[in-house]
Amino acid sequence: MSHPSHPVHPELRASVRWFPSFSFNRFLLGILRRLNFSRLYKARSPEGITIENVWVPGPPGAPDLRVRKYEPAQRAPGSPALLWIHGGGYILGMPEQSDTVCGRFAKELGILVIAVDYRLAPEHPFPAPLEDCYAALSWMHSHAGELKIDANRLAIGGDSAGGGLAAALAQLTRDRKQIKPVFQLLLYPMLDDRTAIRADHKGTGKYIWTPGSNVFGWTSYLAQTPGGPSAPKYAVPARTEDLTGLPPAWLGTGTLDLFYEEDVEYARRLQASGVPCELHEVPGAYHAFEVFAGDAAISRDFIARQVAALKRALTATG
């Protein structure tokens, strides 16, 4: 796939001026872990949203799982719900980093949002993170009455590695046939380990998530060298040949994102498989740009499109 090298969008140039250039490794990961992300991501409770941590059963043989509930005031009983999966390259992060995102969805759509604190690689490689996400979704489905949500209107979504896990979760639920999510919201998802062995990244991956970080992230998650002849089923969503029968999707990515080509290709494959998929490409946008330049008009538009897509999907299934 050809891809012209786009300069950073004018509205985003100030945000990248002081970005450090580095790639993750075990040493840097250890430092960031020791910094204690609970301090870096202090809980920000959006107005009108109640946030609560709940412990739910993990996968068989695994520890209980923490999930974070975002409850809007006066939510209608039987509302839809969203399972949100945070990013972090499969190696870093926690639900608290998504307080703003989850609070926004809960408040603007009047839905319950659950964010899952899945286990991280390299200590817990595939399938542990994905099975944690499945366990959280299963809990939502089986406790729908207690949670006052509609078990038939559950959406899944995530950003970066969380988007990759959401895409994998959509495939897993399709094949296990126990839960049927109605929508997948994929923000610049990390979908294809073969990107890690590409020599030419065509001007992408300069900011935030670099080719070096991608190699480390995929190696940690797969517990093997990425880009090999095969990968475990469901570990790499882009390697799944049959995409038929998956939930409708919205996929957003920037043209400077390292995942740009793999994201566009996955969206086109979904469409070719008969899965409704709206693809939104943001010219000159780097990985997670709306997080670091939230006040930019293109960031606000990117966020508004997510909310609108989720609203359309959940309204259509009501």
Side-chain angles (χ1 to χ4, degrees):
M1 181 189 303
S2 62
H3 170 57
S5 179
H6 292 281
V8 177
H9 191 284
E11 295 178 9
L12 303 177
R13 288 173 189 165
S15 65
V16 301
R17 190 170 300 163
W18 306 112
F19 275 170
S21 180
F22 65 86
S23 294
F24 277 98
N25 53 43
R26 282 188 176 271
F27 176 73
L28 181 57
L29 179 62
I31 291 176
L32 290 176
R33 293 255 183 96
R34 284 193 294 272
L35 283 175
N36 189 346
F37 263 57
S38 65
R39 295 179 182 176
L40 295 179
Y41 293 106
K42 291 183 179 179
R44 300 177 300 277
S45 179
E47 184 180 351
I49 298 296
T50 301
I51 301 178
E52 179 187 5
N53 291 317
V54 179
W55 289 89
V56 305
D64 285 348
L65 188 62
R66 183 174 71 98
V67 300
R68 197 158 166 86
K69 289 174 56 181
Y70 301 82
E71 179 74 62
Q74 300 178 335
R75 176 174 61 88
S79 76
L82 169 69
L83 175 69
W84 185 257
I85 309 171
H86 70 77
Y90 299 112
I91 57 174
L92 201 64
M94 60 195 311
E96 280 80 353
Q97 72 192 60
S98 302
D99 278 0
T100 299
V101 174
C102 294
R104 180 189 302 120
F105 286 136
K107 184 174 183 177
E108 295 196 18
L109 300 178
I111 65 174
L112 179 70
V113 179
I114 300 290
V116 54
D117 190 14
Y118 59 90
R119 288 170 290 174
L120 300 171
E123 296 86 355
H124 303 284
F126 175 85
L130 179 58
E131 291 292 352
D132 284 351
C133 295
Y134 187 84
L137 185 65
S138 296
W139 173 77
M140 293 171 66
H141 186 264
S142 62
H143 288 74
E146 175 188 333
L147 296 170
K148 298 181 181 179
I149 58 176
D150 186 344
N152 296 315
R153 286 196 291 165
L154 302 180
I156 56 179
D159 58 334
S160 193
L165 284 166
L169 184 60
Q171 298 174 8
L172 187 63
T173 54
R174 176 197 63 180
D175 295 347
R176 288 186 176 173
K177 303 182 185 301
Q178 297 172 323
I179 311 168
K180 190 174 181 179
V182 296
F183 192 66
Q184 47 181 329
L185 185 69
L186 310 178
L187 277 58
Y188 34 87
M190 186 174 175
L191 298 168
D192 197 339
D193 68 317
R194 293 167 295 189
T195 298
I197 62 169
R198 281 206 338 245
D200 182 9
H201 296 285
K202 303 176 183 177
T204 65
K206 183 177 180 181
Y207 305 106
I208 306 302
W209 191 251
T210 64
S213 293
N214 205 39
V215 171
F216 180 71
W218 276 115
T219 301
S220 300
Y221 184 56
L222 298 177
Q224 67 183 42
T225 302
S230 64
K233 190 176 183 180
Y234 306 118
V236 183
R239 293 209 188 203
T240 298
E241 293 184 5
D242 181 11
L243 301 182
T244 60
L246 292 174
W250 185 95
L251 194 156
T253 187
T255 59
L256 293 183
D257 197 309
L258 181 64
F259 304 146
Y260 173 71
E261 289 200 356
E262 65 186 67
D263 287 351
V264 171
E265 176 64 17
Y266 192 72
R268 290 176 177 171
R269 287 185 58 214
L270 286 173
Q271 294 165 354
S273 299
V275 177
C277 178
E278 180 181 348
L279 172 65
H280 180 58
E281 303 175 51
V282 186
Y286 55 86
H287 190 68
F289 69 97
E290 86 287 6
V291 176
F292 296 93
D295 291 334
I298 60 167
S299 297
R300 295 196 302 270
D301 176 71
F302 187 65
I303 292 167
R305 287 173 183 269
Q306 300 164 29
V307 175
L310 189 55
K311 181 177 182 179
R312 287 194 302 271
L314 296 178
T315 301
T317 57

